[in-house]
Amino acid sequence: MKKYFSSRLVIAVMPFCVALTPFNKVLAQAKTEDAKMNAYVKGLMSKMTLDEKIGQLNLVTIGAATTGSVVNKGVEENIKNGSIGGVFGVWGTTQTRQIQDIAVKNSRLHIPLIFGLDVIHGHRTIFPIPLGMSATWDMGLIKQSAQIAAKEATGEGLNWVFSPMVDIARDPRWGRISEGSGEDPWYGSQVAKAMVQGYQGTSMKDADAVMACVKHFALYGGAEAGREYNTVDMSRIKMYQDYLPPYKAAVDAGAGSFMSSFNTVDGVPATVNQWLLTDLLRKQWGFKGFVVSDYTAVNEVTDHGLGDLQTVSALALKAGLDMDMVGEGFLKTLKNSLTQKKITQQEIDLACRRVLEAKYKLGLFDNPYKSMDADKEAKEELSTANRAAAREITKHSFVLLKNDNQTLPLKKGGSIALVGPLADNHRDMLGTWVIAGEWQKSVSVMEGIKNVVGNNVAINYAMGANITEDSLFIKRLNFGPGMVSLDAKPANELLKEAVDAAKKSDVIVAVVGESQSMSGESSSRSDIDIPESQKNMLKELSKLGKPMVIVLFNGRPLTLTWEDKHANAILDVWAPGTEAGNAIADVLFGDYNPAGKLTATFPRSVGQIPIYYNHKNTGRPYKGGPSKFRSNYLDISNDPLYPFGYGLSYTTFNYSAVSVNKTKLKGNETLTANVTVTNTGKYAGEEVVQLYISDPVASISRSVKELKGYQKISLQPGASKQVSFTITPEQLKFYNTQLKYDWEPGEFVVEIGTNSADTHNASVWWAK
Ligand code: BGC
C-alpha cells in the first residue's frame, strides 16, 4: 500500500459527547442518543449526492488478505470520490490510517470508512476453531475470547469483525462446520449471544469494542450433501425450530450487522430474499443494523439464474441488502436502475442511512482513527496475558473421546514416542480463518510437551507419515503457498522411523488428523476418515501392543471407528490455536483434567449423514439392533460413534435418578428437576450436566429430545453436588404448523445426563 499521509488528523465532523447517566435513565438516554443520531445522519445525508449515497453501499477489499476470487481495483480513486463505504482485508495501524486519511482528508464530505476483517477465532492470538470453542460449554470463556480478539483488532485499525458464524450444521462433510457451534439451535443461540456481547461490549463506541457481523444469513449450514455453496431447501418449521434460533439470539443480543449467505432460502438466493432480509429479520425480529452481502454474493445471483447484474443488484437492494461486498454491482448499476424506476430513491436512502448509522454507533464520526492506535497495537498483539488466556481457554475445548484403563494422563517420566505429521508442526496449529494469525508464533505439540515436562520424559520423535500421500488432494489443500509441508522420504521409510521410535518408548503419542486447509470454506470432503497415510501409520503402530494415545486434530467430526477400536485413548484437540502445544501438554500430563463435550455428533460412517441427536422419531422408529421394516440400515447401526454432548474425563461421574418437585403442573407454574452428581474417580474434574426435554404427544411430530439447559460443575474426588434445573413453559414451546411459537399441554419427559444418549429421566404432566 502506497503511503498517503503521515500526520494525524483531527476531523471536526460534529462530535457528540456521551455523558454518564444513572441506570434508571438508560432508556431515556437511548432515545436521546437515537434522536441525536437521526439528526446527525439526516444532516449528513442532506449534503450527499446520489453517487455518494451509493458509494456508502460499496465494500471493497484491497487484497492484503484475499478470501475470494476477485479483488477490487482503483480503490484509492474510488475512496477519494466517495464511492466506497468500507474496506476489508487490511489491518495494522499504519495501513488503515493511510487509507482512512484518503477518506477523511480527500473525499468531499470526509465520511470515514469502516474497516472489517475476518476475525473469527481470535485476531493475532488465535483461539481454537469455533467448533472447538463451542466444546467448552463455557459462555464466560467464549465471551472472553471475543473480547481479547476485539482488543487486539481495535489496536490495528479494525472496527468490524465478520463473526460470529452461527450457522447450524449437521453434516460434517461440510468444511465450514468448523466455523460454527455445531448442531443444536438452543446451544448455538447461547454461543451467538456470548460472542456478540464479547465483541460489542456495552457500547460500540468503546475503545475496545468492534461491531459484530452475524453470518451467514441464513441456513448456509444446510447445504445439500455437505457440498460447499450448494442448494439449501427445508420446511419453514425446520427453519424456525432448528436453524433460525441462533440468528435471532444474535439480533436480541444487539448485533450491529448481518451478512447474507450464498445459498437459496425457499428457492430465492438469500442475498435477494425479501422475506428473509426484511420480513423476517427486520419486521419479525426487529433488527436495526445493516446487512452486507457475502463476497460477490450479489453477482452470484446471476449464476443462481435470476438475471443480469443490474437486475440482481436491484433485487438485492429492494430485498433489504444494504452493502455489496466486493462485486460492485450496486456501484455500477443502481443509478441506472433508479433512472429506469426499477428501484426508488427511498430504497437507496434507507440502505445509506443504515450504513451511516453503524459508523455513528461506532463513534467514527467523533474519531475516524479511533481504532488506529500504535501503542495499543504494540501492547495487545500476542501479549503475555492474551497468550495465557488462550492457553487456559484452549484446554477447556478438548474432548476426551476414549480413555481405556486410565491411559491418560501420562506420567511425567519414562519415554514417549511422539509421532505423526502434526507432532512437530506449527503450520497446522491454528486451523481455518486465521487472517492475521501467525502460525510461526504457535506452540507445536513437541514444544509444549518440553515446556511442561522438561527433561523428565524422553521423547523419541518421528514424523511417521505425511499428512496425505494423495497428490490430487495435496494440490487442492495447497491453495496458498506452503500450506502442506511434506517429507520427501518414501512412505515406508517414514513409517519405519515411527515404528523404531515406538519400540524404544513406553507409550505412543500419535498426533494425527486434518491439516489446516482440510476444513473451513470450500473444504467439503466426501470421506471424513483420517487420511490413509496416517491411518497406515496408526495400524502399524498398533501392532506393537504398546499403549497408543491419539491426539486428534480436526475441523469437523471424523469417522473414527477403527481408531476407537484400536487406540487406548483419543484426545480431540480440534485446531487449537496459538497455544496449541502448551494446552495439549497440560492435558496429556494431567495438569488439567479435560471436560469438553461434543456439540456435533460423530458418525460411524458417512452413510449416516446427516446425523444429529434431535432427530424425529419416524413412524417406524429404530429400537436398537437390526430389525426389518424399521427406520434403519442393513449394514450399520443408527447410533453415532460419539453422540452430541459426549466427552469423558480423567475421573468418573455418577448420576442419581432425576427427582422433580411435582409431577402435575398447570399454566405458568415452575418445575424443578434435580439430580445428584458424584465424582467417583480419583481426580478433581468438571462435568457438563445436560438437561433435555421431550414432548411425546403434540400437534406435529417433535424431535426425540431437545437440549434446554446445562450446568458446568466442578467436583473433588468423592464429592457430590445436587444440580437443579428450573423449567418453565417457555422451554416447552415449539413452532406449530401455523409457525406459532407456543406449547401444548400433555406429558413431558425431563432427561438429565452426561450426554444426549446417556440420561436419566422423569415424566410430568403439564396442563394449560
Ligand atoms: C465467506 C465469509 C467471509 C467473507 C469475507 C466469504 O467467502 O463466506 O464468511 O466473511 O468471504 O472474507
Side-chain angles (χ1 to χ4, degrees):
M1 188 79 206
K2 197 167 114 198
K3 196 163 179 3
Y4 296 96
F5 296 93
S6 55
S7 66
R8 195 178 170 127
L9 175 95
V10 181
I11 185 109
V13 193
M14 292 172 71
F16 291 113
C17 298
V18 183
L20 284 178
T21 331
F23 183 71
N24 60 358
K25 290 199 181 145
V26 161
L27 212 64
Q29 189 199 26
K31 278 195 179 154
T32 319
E33 269 305 302
D34 271 0
K36 278 185 188 170
M37 177 175 77
N38 292 342
Y40 180 77
V41 171
K42 201 170 159 203
L44 180 56
M45 281 180 65
S46 70
K47 294 182 215 141
M48 291 171 81
T49 63
L50 174 62
D51 287 324
E52 284 165 338
K53 287 177 179 172
I54 293 174
Q56 285 303 306
L57 316 185
N58 187 28
L59 175 68
V60 301
T61 181
I62 60 163
T66 318
T67 53
S69 52
V70 183
V71 178
N72 299 88
K73 305 264 171 11
V75 171
E76 185 180 345
E77 264 325 291
N78 276 343
I79 296 176
K80 278 187 194 156
N81 63 34
S83 299
I84 289 177
V87 172
F88 77 100
V90 61
W91 65 97
T93 296
T94 316
Q95 296 87 327
T96 50
R97 186 174 279 277
Q98 283 169 17
I99 299 167
Q100 190 70 301
D101 266 350
I102 309 172
V104 298
K105 289 180 178 170
N106 295 145
S107 73
R108 192 178 74 89
L109 290 172
H110 319 293
I111 300 174
L113 297 164
I114 185 171
F115 285 87
L117 194 75
D118 286 288
V119 173
I120 310 289
H121 49 114
H123 176 55
R124 293 289 190 167
T125 306
I126 303 296
F127 300 97
I129 50 167
L131 189 61
M133 284 301 302
S134 72
T136 62
W137 294 66
D138 190 324
M139 296 309 130
L141 296 182
I142 288 172
K143 190 170 167 183
Q144 189 192 358
S145 74
Q147 281 165 335
I148 293 172
K151 221 170 187 182
E152 290 188 343
T154 48
E156 295 211 80
L158 302 171
N159 28 52
W160 187 27
V161 294
F162 300 150
S163 171
M165 177 181 125
V166 303
D167 306 324
I168 293 297
R170 295 163 161 190
D171 191 331
R173 291 171 298 182
W174 191 54
R176 300 198 86 166
I177 196 172
S178 56
E179 298 173 40
S181 301
E183 71 195 35
D184 185 67
W186 181 83
Y187 185 73
S189 301
Q190 313 307 307
V191 177
K193 181 176 163 196
M195 291 294 287
V196 170
Q197 289 176 342
Y199 286 136
Q200 296 190 173
T202 47
S203 163
M204 287 196 279
K205 282 202 165 136
D206 291 347
D208 291 340
V210 287
M211 181 168 68
C213 184
V214 178
K215 64 193 192 185
H216 306 82
F217 196 57
L219 322 180
Y220 185 24
E224 282 178 6
R227 202 185 72 219
E228 182 65 304
Y229 314 128
N230 204 5
T231 304
V232 176
D233 202 359
M234 66 175 75
S235 70
R236 284 273 163 108
I237 289 194
K238 190 168 180 169
M239 284 183 204
Y240 274 85
Q241 188 69 23
D242 297 331
Y243 281 76
L244 294 176
Y247 307 105
K248 166 78 164 57
V251 171
D252 293 343
S257 68
F258 261 58
M259 186 185 292
S260 72
S261 57
F262 288 126
N263 54 280
T264 50
V265 171
D266 247 352
V268 181
T271 303
V272 296
N273 192 318
Q274 174 144 16
W275 171 76
L276 186 73
L277 302 186
T278 297
D279 298 351
L280 178 69
L281 183 62
R282 296 185 187 282
K283 293 188 183 156
Q284 282 186 38
W285 293 353
F287 174 64
K288 297 271 185 287
F290 75 90
V291 182
V292 63
S293 77
D294 203 342
Y295 207 110
T296 58
V298 174
N299 314 58
E300 291 167 26
V301 176
T302 297
D303 281 318
H304 276 290
L306 275 80
D308 62 12
L309 187 61
Q310 183 179 342
T311 308
V312 298
S313 301
L315 284 175
L317 184 81
K318 287 185 102 55
L321 190 89
D322 305 303
M323 201 179 225
D324 176 6
M325 188 193 287
V326 180
E328 298 185 350
F330 277 9
L331 189 71
K332 291 177 182 154
T333 71
L334 286 189
K335 208 171 170 183
N336 265 348
S337 292
L338 183 64
T339 316
Q340 295 164 5
K341 298 200 171 12
K342 296 208 164 112
I343 55 169
T344 64
Q345 181 67 50
Q346 286 83 341
E347 284 160 348
I348 294 178
D349 285 352
L350 189 58
C352 177
R353 178 156 63 76
R354 289 177 185 144
V355 172
L356 294 174
E357 281 177 0
K359 293 182 177 182
Y360 183 94
K361 287 179 197 158
L362 281 162
L364 293 179
F365 291 113
D366 295 339
N367 179 5
Y369 301 94
K370 178 187 150 203
S371 56
M372 295 151 195
D373 179 342
D375 293 341
K376 184 173 175 187
E377 178 176 61
K379 186 172 153 252
E380 285 300 331
E381 185 188 317
L382 281 161
S383 70
T384 312
N386 292 351
R387 289 193 77 132
R391 181 172 182 166
E392 189 57 31
I393 290 170
T394 305
K395 293 189 286 207
H396 287 75
S397 72
F398 299 163
V399 183
L400 186 62
L401 297 174
K402 182 176 180 189
N403 193 23
D404 269 2
N405 307 321
Q406 300 271 296
T407 307
L408 289 176
L410 301 174
K411 57 178 200 303
K412 291 181 180 170
S415 57
I416 63 169
L418 184 63
V419 299
L422 299 165
D424 185 18
N425 172 317
H426 291 96
R427 181 98 221 194
D428 296 303
M429 298 300 102
L430 306 187
T432 182
W433 280 126
V434 284
I435 304 283
E438 294 156 281
W439 58 264
Q440 298 86 341
K441 295 186 178 162
S442 68
V443 182
S444 72
V445 179
M446 168 95 88
E447 288 163 348
I449 292 178
K450 286 183 180 159
N451 291 342
V452 167
V453 296
N455 293 327
N456 295 331
V457 175
I459 301 174
N460 299 310
Y461 168 77
M463 185 166 168
N466 277 315
I467 199 86
T468 170
E469 294 286 349
D470 176 339
S471 53
L472 209 66
F473 197 21
I474 293 170
K475 217 167 157 191
R476 292 298 310 276
L477 297 175
N478 242 339
F479 70 92
M483 302 253 359
V484 181
S485 34
L486 300 171
D487 193 314
K489 280 184 213 150
N492 56 0
E493 214 172 292
L494 290 172
L495 201 58
K496 187 174 173 307
E497 288 171 3
V499 171
D500 289 346
K503 281 183 180 159
K504 288 189 274 190
S505 310
D506 304 331
V507 51
I508 301 162
V509 176
V511 190
V512 294
E514 293 193 308
S515 60
Q516 180 178 31
S517 48
M518 275 188 206
S519 66
E521 184 171 352
S522 190
S523 304
S524 294
R525 292 180 66 194
S526 68
D527 167 0
I528 54 169
D529 270 7
I530 291 178
E532 201 181 353
S533 55
Q534 300 181 60
K535 206 152 172 173
N536 286 342
M537 178 192 77
L538 295 174
K539 284 181 177 165
E540 282 309 307
L541 293 171
S542 79
K543 289 181 191 156
L544 300 175
K546 301 219 173 185
M548 181 164 80
V549 176
I550 292 180
V551 175
L552 180 72
F553 278 64
N554 51 336
R556 51 159 61 83
L558 297 177
T559 41
L560 300 168
T561 40
W562 184 91
E563 292 76 4
D564 182 67
K565 199 158 166 207
H566 293 92
N568 299 84
I570 306 176
L571 181 69
D572 191 340
V573 300
W574 313 106
T578 309
E579 285 293 311
N582 285 335
I584 290 170
D586 285 338
V587 173
L588 286 180
F589 292 94
D591 291 345
Y592 175 74
N593 181 358
K597 300 270 191 175
L598 299 178
T599 57
T601 302
F602 275 46
R604 291 173 188 278
S605 140
V606 280
Q608 294 178 311
I609 296 170
I611 183 168
Y612 45 94
Y613 84 94
N614 46 353
H615 58 84
K616 305 274 192 228
N617 205 34
T618 82
R620 295 186 174 188
Y622 170 73
K623 306 241 181 208
S627 168
K628 195 72 183 160
F629 303 120
R630 293 254 141 217
S631 178
N632 58 27
Y633 302 96
L634 284 178
D635 54 351
I636 196 169
S637 116
N638 284 20
D639 298 324
L641 183 62
Y642 306 122
F644 175 86
Y646 174 83
L648 303 172
S649 163
Y650 293 156
T651 193
T652 44
F653 296 102
N654 177 67
Y655 279 67
S656 72
V658 174
S659 69
V660 285
N661 66 337
K662 24 190 155 172
T663 53
K664 289 196 177 358
L665 297 98
K666 196 166 162 44
N668 277 338
E669 279 182 343
T670 300
L671 173 69
T672 306
N674 296 316
V675 78
T676 300
V677 183
T678 306
N679 182 342
T680 49
K682 289 191 298 196
Y683 298 89
E686 294 157 305
E687 166 73 339
V688 179
V689 182
Q690 299 159 40
L691 167 74
Y692 299 85
I693 298 181
S694 69
D695 183 2
V697 181
S699 60
I700 61 163
S701 180
R702 306 284 328 277
S703 300
V704 291
K705 62 182 76 174
E706 289 177 341
L707 182 74
K708 293 293 175 185
Y710 68 90
Q711 287 179 40
K712 196 167 181 180
I713 59 167
S714 194
L715 286 176
Q716 291 299 317
S720 292
K721 191 168 194 165
Q722 176 173 292
V723 179
S724 289
F725 290 98
T726 304
I727 299 161
T728 69
E730 194 55 34
Q731 283 139 295
L732 312 177
K733 288 184 177 171
F734 63 95
Y735 289 94
N736 67 16
T737 50
Q738 309 307 311
L739 296 181
K740 192 170 165 228
Y741 191 56
D742 203 358
W743 62 286
E744 294 172 1
E747 184 191 0
F748 295 92
V749 183
V750 175
E751 299 186 31
I752 302 178
T754 183
N755 65 61
S756 62
D758 185 358
T759 58
H760 294 180
N761 63 57
S763 282
V764 299
W765 280 261
W766 213 315
K768 271 222 160 174

